[in-house]
Amino acid sequence: MTDALELDALWDEFHSVVNMTSQELAAWLRVQDAGEDTELLPDQAGDPTGQHVLAILQKRRMDLTDDDVRVMYEVVDTVTAEQDRYDEPEAMEGDRRHRLMAIGHDPLKPSG
């Protein structure tokens, strides 16, 4: 497991890049998977990473598992890489925005 200082920093960074609430993410995962032929049960909607992010958002820091920490690093790295590639939020519309929203980051959501 990650040491306490590193985990504190990761927790803060994860919650900084995941700017959607657990309710917003759950709703997005349901919408994203909804279709004429593919309506899943609400608690099974979304890809495994999105579901894992949703579970992490509902946990306390002290309840994190090694797998949670791995996913948190993955999400932080993904969002940071996308932000570095595109300076303008408008460049994040469409499929790219939807992929980021599936892991809890809406690039068009105002910060703060």
Side-chain angles (χ1 to χ4, degrees):
M1 184 79 138
T2 310
D3 72 34
L5 288 176
E6 190 176 345
L7 185 58
D8 286 347
L10 175 62
W11 178 265
D12 292 342
E13 191 170 13
F14 175 81
H15 282 87
S16 172
V17 300
V18 175
N19 63 356
M20 296 170 70
T21 66
S22 58
Q23 295 85 5
E24 290 169 333
L25 178 55
W28 172 252
L29 294 174
R30 285 191 303 272
V31 166
Q32 181 186 26
D33 272 1
E36 226 172 272
D37 301 324
T38 60
E39 186 88 28
L40 296 174
L41 296 173
D43 62 338
Q44 296 175 353
D47 68 26
T49 302
Q51 283 294 321
H52 202 143
V53 169
L54 185 58
I56 292 168
L57 289 174
Q58 297 168 343
K59 287 186 176 189
R60 297 176 303 172
R61 184 180 339 202
M62 62 205 241
D63 296 330
L64 295 174
T65 65
D66 288 341
D67 202 35
D68 294 336
V69 170
R70 179 191 56 77
V71 168
M72 290 169 71
Y73 275 118
E74 181 182 309
V75 168
V76 167
D77 290 346
T78 299
V79 172
T80 302
E82 285 295 323
Q83 288 173 333
D84 289 347
R85 289 178 56 199
Y86 299 97
D87 294 335
E88 296 297 320
E90 295 77 28
M92 297 297 276
E93 292 186 22
D95 290 341
R96 183 170 288 112
R97 177 181 181 222
H98 294 168
R99 281 192 305 275
L100 288 172
M101 288 175 68
I103 59 171
H105 178 78
D106 184 351
L108 299 182
K109 186 176 183 178
S111 59

